[in-house]
Amino acid sequence: MPIRYPEGVSAMLSGASVGDLYYRRSRFSTKLMTDRLYTPSHFWVKEHDPGCWRVGLTKFAARMLGDVVDVGFESEADAAVRLGDAIGWFEGFKARSDLYTVVEGRFIGGNPVLADDVDVIDRDRYGAGWLYAVEGRVDPDARDAAGYVQFLDHVIDRMRGRSSEGQQ
C-alpha cells in the first residue's frame, strides 16, 4: 500500500525510498524510518515483539544533545512505568538530561549493548543503538514519520524565529 503524505509534505522529501523518508530543513537533515513512531520529545519507538517497544533517540534529539557519551538507568527491570517517568539519564557532549519513558507499562530494561559500546547510539541510532524497551502502551501523541516531518518543520521554524504557518 503506498504511503499517503499530508499536503505539502512530499515537496520537502527528496530521494525517499520505500521504508525511508529523507528530510531536510534549514541546516538539518535526517533519514526517518517509516516502520516506527516518533514522539514530540524526539524519540523513536518501534514494536519489536507484540506489545514490546524499543525506544531510541532521533537524529534531531542527538543533535541537540551532542554525541552520547554515557547512559544510565535507574529503573529496575519489570518495574511499572508511566509516561514521563524518569527512568535514567544520558549525557552528551553538549548536555546531560534525564531519560523519560515514552511508553507506559512494564520496563523491560536498557539496551545491554550500551554498557560496553555507548557509541552505537550515534553509529546505528535506528538499529542496534536503541536505548531501552518497555512492554505496554506508546505515548498517544506519537506520530508516524510523515507526521513527525510536520512536527519538525514547526520546531525548526520556531527555533529560527519563524512561524511555519502560511510558508511554502
Side-chain angles (χ1 to χ4, degrees), residues 20-66:
D20 299 338
L21 293 179
Y22 293 91
Y23 173 84
R24 181 173 175 86
R25 187 156 189 117
S26 188
R27 287 183 237 139
F28 176 73
S29 63
T30 189
K31 178 175 73 171
L32 299 170
M33 311 300 283
T34 57
D35 64 348
R36 58 202 73 211
L37 299 172
Y38 298 87
T39 70
S41 51
H42 304 287
F43 289 95
W44 60 260
V45 182
K46 182 179 180 186
E47 191 171 33
H48 69 100
D49 284 326
C52 293
W53 302 87
R54 286 188 177 158
V55 178
L57 285 175
T58 65
K59 184 176 178 183
F60 187 84
R63 184 165 177 185
M64 296 297 107
L65 183 67

Side-chain angles (χ1 to χ4, degrees), residues 68-138:
V68 177
V69 295
D70 203 6
V71 177
F73 294 94
E74 296 162 355
S75 289
E76 298 292 326
D78 293 322
V81 292
R82 296 178 312 227
L83 292 176
D85 281 355
I87 57 171
W89 50 269
F90 53 113
E91 186 172 349
F93 283 126
K94 294 181 182 178
R96 180 181 168 128
S97 179
D98 286 334
L99 181 56
Y100 299 96
T101 184
V102 295
V103 181
E104 181 171 77
R106 182 179 64 87
F107 184 70
I108 296 172
N111 181 348
V113 172
L114 301 180
D116 296 321
D117 185 16
V118 74
D119 293 334
V120 71
I121 294 170
D122 295 314
R123 276 195 330 271
D124 189 14
R125 98 175 53 265
Y126 294 105
W130 56 276
L131 298 172
Y132 64 90
V134 175
E135 178 181 26
R137 182 181 66 86
V138 174

